[in-house]
Amino acid sequence: MSPALLGAVILLGIQTFKVPRISTLLMILAACALTASTRWARQFEQSKLHTQGGRYTLHALLVGAPMLLFGAALARWTARVGAPWQDTMGILVIVGALAAVILNRRVPSIIIAQGALWAGVSMTGEARGNFFTLIVGGLVAIYTSIRQSRADREAAQRDAERQRAQLRAEEILHEYEQTGQGWFWETDRRGQLVYVSPTIGKLLQRKTRDLVGRSFTELFVPDPAGQESERTLAFHLTARSSFSELALRAATQREERWWSVSGRPIYDSFGNFVGFRGSGADLTEKKRSAEHASRLAHYDSLTGLANRFQMSQTLEKILSAPNMDHRACAVFLLDLDRFKQVNDTLGHPAGDALLKQVASRLVRAVGESGRVGRLGGDEFKVILAGHHRRDALAQLAKRIIHDLSEPYLIEGHRVMIGASVGIAMAPDDGVSSEAIIRNADLALYAAKDGGRGRHHFYAADLHSDAEERRQLEQDLRDAITNGGLELYYQPVVHTSTERITGFEALLRWNHPERGFLSPSRFIPIAEDSGLIAQIGEWALRTACRDLAAWPESVRIAVNVSPLQFANPALPAIITNALAAAQVNPERLELEITENVFLNDDDGTEAMFTALKRVGVRLALDDFGTGYSSLGYLKKAPFDKIKIDQSFVRGATIAGSRNGAIITSIVSLAESLGMETTAEGVETLDELDLVRMLGCSHVQGYIYAKPLSRDQATQKLYSGLSAIAKGPRAARAARQTMLRKVVLDHNGQHYHGTIRNLSTTGAMVEGLWNVPPGTIFRIILAEGQTVTATTRWSQEDRMGMEFAAPLALDEGGRIAVVSQMAPGARLRNTVLRRDN
């Protein structure tokens, strides 16, 4: 500032051709000296001044004093020589502007400098008239300076906090990299690495600087089981789209390692693509655990064969093939003869060893022509895909029986067993897995009845529908008389606490010949034959008796059919059951379907009044699937609404309106003071959704399958906590169809046929040996075009993944399907994943 002050004096001297007096000149030199001493003053402040008041005083001295002296000096000089004030004012304005520039946005200092400069001018005789105005302006300036100082301190504090947060984040990320929990990467627009965490170089046994400039894909190696992820990575890098948690095999040499890799494209301020940035995490242990868990879930731990679940999936896959010709298969059900005798005489270890040898022989006998699985105990299943002649199947069955009947050497003992085989063929003996297994089972029992050690094909005369229903009715009567029915209990879990609050009693019938029968098979027979009242009363008494042995906080829910509800003696039956078991009525919950309101009359309302007088709780079961009127909710005193599993299933699929329906039901229940239970929750995604939507209770396989009384009792005494276990998500629904489409690849048009379609992809037939990764534009209908990438190809079929999911219509169907031409052949068969 000193040169600026001297320059201003020289400029005024040139304009006036006058030399200032000694006193004026001394004031100017003092002002220049004070401004020139700033460097030493700062050192003095840092070393000597530690109080805020001292710093403010020094600040005013170094900024305000020189400007005050300079302003007073120029005003006195102008007044003495009689120079025009406008010239002096211009010089003062220039000096003030230079001071503001030099002080660089330091508002308090600028205000002090400007105020002092013009205060000095006001001290002369000619300018004293403005002194009052200057004082007022000074006060305003001081107030503004104080506020600005406070704002500057707050801004500085925020900057400091932001810098500390940024430094902390950098330290955390560095620690995250160093501990090996994860790593980071960045590429340029050509896909070449510009940064990768040093830990990756150590794992790959390469220097980090050598990896920079190399292709990002060189960090990974092809793997037969991971080709899908590798193709997906190439697709995302090419399409410049974000990706998340792709499982990729690392290019390590000594050991097999897997990484979960995520990334997103980055753009500059002009919107130009500059590369990718992302992170990775070690997936090795998680993948090993998942593979182990998958093997346990799909394979028998004793024999290594496919288990019941895996065999069911295989059969379902064959029977649901898009091409009718591919739905043919033959199913063998095998049962070992005299196996129980071996178990009883030699012990279970010997029985296990025998089962291993049986499995080995069975695999050798079947060879590559079919798949062998163990259902449990001494039951085995063989599935042979495709069409087969009966004589060829008979020869295979004879060979299996012969091989399994050869002597075994178990722990030094020579063991002889046999085998019986029941055979059913699709589609001749059924088109569903239930029908095929049932008929193969009937054939197996026929083989056993024929003397064991033989095979038998299913035939219609084994069991006609009428005979089966008649026999089932008779067997049901015997079961009621002989105690053949039993109750299983499925836990009902509180969503927020994940504690068991009660059970739903589910009727089970373990048929002496057919095993456990679904209630959907014998309940209609019971209702038609009038046995439902007897079964219902037995269920109520049994449930109350079991409930009496359980903790007081646990409730039990029992289903009441419309026929039971119409019985005027129902309240007395319930009162009798509660009294006999000495159970608090509030612990019993009756589940009633909407069908009881079809005959909504005075008797229905009177029944509700009588039941509430007993003190039991009432739950509306399968809400939204039956009688559609909501008027009954005004009169029926329900304590709970049960959301049917049809609303839960598929609610997590993008575009589904099931979530909105669940939200509405929960809101309705809350406004009426009722609890809600979401039924049929089988995946973790469904559990998260119903919990987020506010359902108070959850029931489904995600927590437990129905338990026997002993299992339920054991679970209660081990604690009321429930742990959710199950798959993360269900597979997207598909629709099978025969739809001619046009595929566009680089301007070339090809004709194909869609065999099945989902929101995320399709299977197309008609193009041979298409390389994976090939991108097509599929013209589904007029104005309906989607971009898809080939993921696999086999002969004239290929699986394609859409670049974006297809939208669903109001009914939850794929919108583009409903817009297709009416002449298209569409069967709308939804294939659901078997959970």
Side-chain angles (χ1 to χ4, degrees), residues 290-301 305-311 313:
E291 290 176 351
H292 180 66
S294 177
R295 181 162 187 84
L296 291 178
H298 293 84
Y299 294 91
D300 179 53
S301 59
L305 299 177
N307 61 10
R308 182 186 296 271
F309 176 73
Q310 179 78 341
M311 295 299 287
Q313 281 192 324

Side-chain angles (χ1 to χ4, degrees), residues 389-717:
R389 300 192 314 273
R390 292 175 70 91
D391 57 348
L393 294 176
Q395 290 298 326
L396 176 59
K398 291 178 181 178
R399 185 166 67 248
I400 290 174
I401 294 173
H402 175 270
D403 291 350
L404 298 185
S405 300
E406 290 292 316
Y408 298 85
L409 187 63
I410 306 295
E411 297 179 355
H413 299 276
R414 187 171 183 268
V415 175
M416 295 288 293
I417 62 171
S420 300
V421 180
I423 306 172
M425 303 170 62
D428 297 342
D429 300 331
V431 295
S432 66
S433 60
E434 292 84 1
I436 294 297
I437 297 302
R438 181 181 67 244
N439 294 338
D441 200 33
L442 290 173
L444 174 60
Y445 280 106
K448 289 183 175 182
D449 292 341
R452 300 180 181 272
R454 57 186 296 177
H455 70 277
H456 201 292
F457 284 91
Y458 171 78
D461 58 1
L462 288 178
H463 227 299
S464 65
D465 291 340
E467 177 63 18
E468 180 182 14
R469 186 176 183 86
R470 187 199 65 79
Q471 187 63 47
L472 277 179
E473 181 179 338
Q474 183 58 48
D475 292 344
L476 183 57
R477 293 181 185 274
D478 294 340
I480 296 173
T481 303
N482 301 324
L485 298 178
E486 55 185 321
L487 291 181
Y488 271 53
Y489 300 96
Q490 186 169 35
V492 178
V493 180
H494 198 280
T495 52
S496 60
T497 63
E498 287 199 312
R499 292 178 64 83
I500 298 174
T501 60
F503 292 90
E504 180 183 3
L506 301 173
L507 188 61
R508 292 293 183 264
W509 181 18
N510 190 2
H511 194 279
E513 295 180 356
R514 308 178 188 211
F516 281 96
L517 297 181
S518 170
S520 62
R521 292 190 60 191
F522 63 86
I523 290 297
I525 297 176
E527 292 178 339
D528 292 342
S529 60
L531 297 173
I532 191 65
Q534 190 175 352
I535 294 176
E537 183 175 350
W538 170 85
L540 281 168
R541 294 185 181 279
T542 303
C544 290
R545 185 177 65 249
D546 294 343
L547 181 61
W550 294 346
E552 284 290 327
S553 61
V554 175
R555 297 191 184 107
I556 199 166
V558 180
N559 289 274
V560 175
S561 73
L563 291 177
Q564 288 178 270
F565 188 85
N567 182 5
L570 180 61
I573 294 173
I574 294 173
T575 303
N576 217 340
L578 291 169
Q582 296 184 349
V583 171
N584 188 335
E586 292 184 354
R587 298 178 63 195
L588 177 62
E589 189 171 85
L590 303 181
E591 293 190 1
I592 303 170
T593 64
E594 296 170 307
N595 292 334
V596 302
F597 298 101
L598 289 175
N599 296 321
D600 192 9
D601 51 19
D602 294 339
T604 302
E605 188 172 351
M607 179 60 73
F608 276 114
T609 303
L611 292 177
K612 292 305 291 184
R613 192 180 298 121
V614 172
V616 297
R617 289 168 53 88
L618 300 178
L620 179 58
D621 198 13
D622 300 334
F623 180 77
T625 61
Y627 185 56
S628 59
S629 174
L630 296 179
Y632 56 79
L633 289 178
K634 296 186 297 183
K635 300 178 293 182
F638 287 111
D639 301 286
K640 179 187 289 187
I641 292 179
K642 300 196 72 173
I643 302 172
D644 188 69
Q645 63 179 348
S646 61
F647 297 125
V648 176
R649 199 71 44 79
T652 57
I653 299 176
S656 172
R657 295 193 173 188
N658 289 7
I661 295 174
I662 295 174
T663 301
S664 301
I665 296 174
V666 171
S667 177
L668 175 65
E670 289 178 348
S671 63
L672 295 175
M674 303 177 187
E675 299 174 350
T676 50
T677 295
E679 294 184 295
V681 179
E682 297 183 355
T683 68
L684 295 173
D685 284 349
E686 292 171 350
L687 177 61
D688 293 341
L689 178 65
V690 298
R691 180 181 286 131
M692 180 188 67
L693 296 181
C695 293
S696 60
H697 295 80
V698 170
Q699 178 181 343
Y701 282 10
I702 193 66
Y703 281 115
K705 294 183 178 181
L707 308 172
S708 66
R709 179 190 61 186
D710 294 339
Q711 291 173 331
T713 302
Q714 183 179 1
K715 187 170 186 65
L716 288 176
Y717 284 118

Side-chain angles (χ1 to χ4, degrees), residues 98-119:
L98 288 174
V101 171
I102 292 173
L103 291 172
N104 189 22
R105 297 172 60 186
R106 298 179 179 87
V107 176
S109 300
I110 294 174
I111 291 176
I112 291 175
Q114 297 291 341
L117 178 65
W118 296 105

Side-chain angles (χ1 to χ4, degrees), residues 272-352:
N272 298 318
F273 173 72
V274 296
F276 272 86
R277 183 180 296 159
S279 62
D282 193 284
L283 195 65
T284 307
E285 291 302 323
K286 184 177 180 181
K287 188 172 181 64
R288 288 173 182 168
S289 299
E291 290 176 351
H292 180 66
S294 177
R295 181 162 187 84
L296 291 178
H298 293 84
Y299 294 91
D300 179 53
S301 59
L302 177 63
T303 62
L305 299 177
N307 61 10
R308 182 186 296 271
F309 176 73
Q310 179 78 341
M311 295 299 287
S312 297
Q313 281 192 324
T314 302
L315 184 58
E316 285 284 356
K317 184 176 181 180
I318 294 174
L319 296 179
S320 60
N323 192 328
M324 293 292 294
D325 293 336
H326 296 165
R327 298 183 182 180
C329 67
V331 175
F332 288 18
L333 286 184
L334 291 83
D335 203 356
L336 301 182
D337 302 330
R338 299 181 297 277
F339 174 76
K340 186 176 184 299
Q341 181 181 354
V342 176
N343 244 356
D344 293 342
T345 56
L346 300 181
H348 291 288
D352 292 345

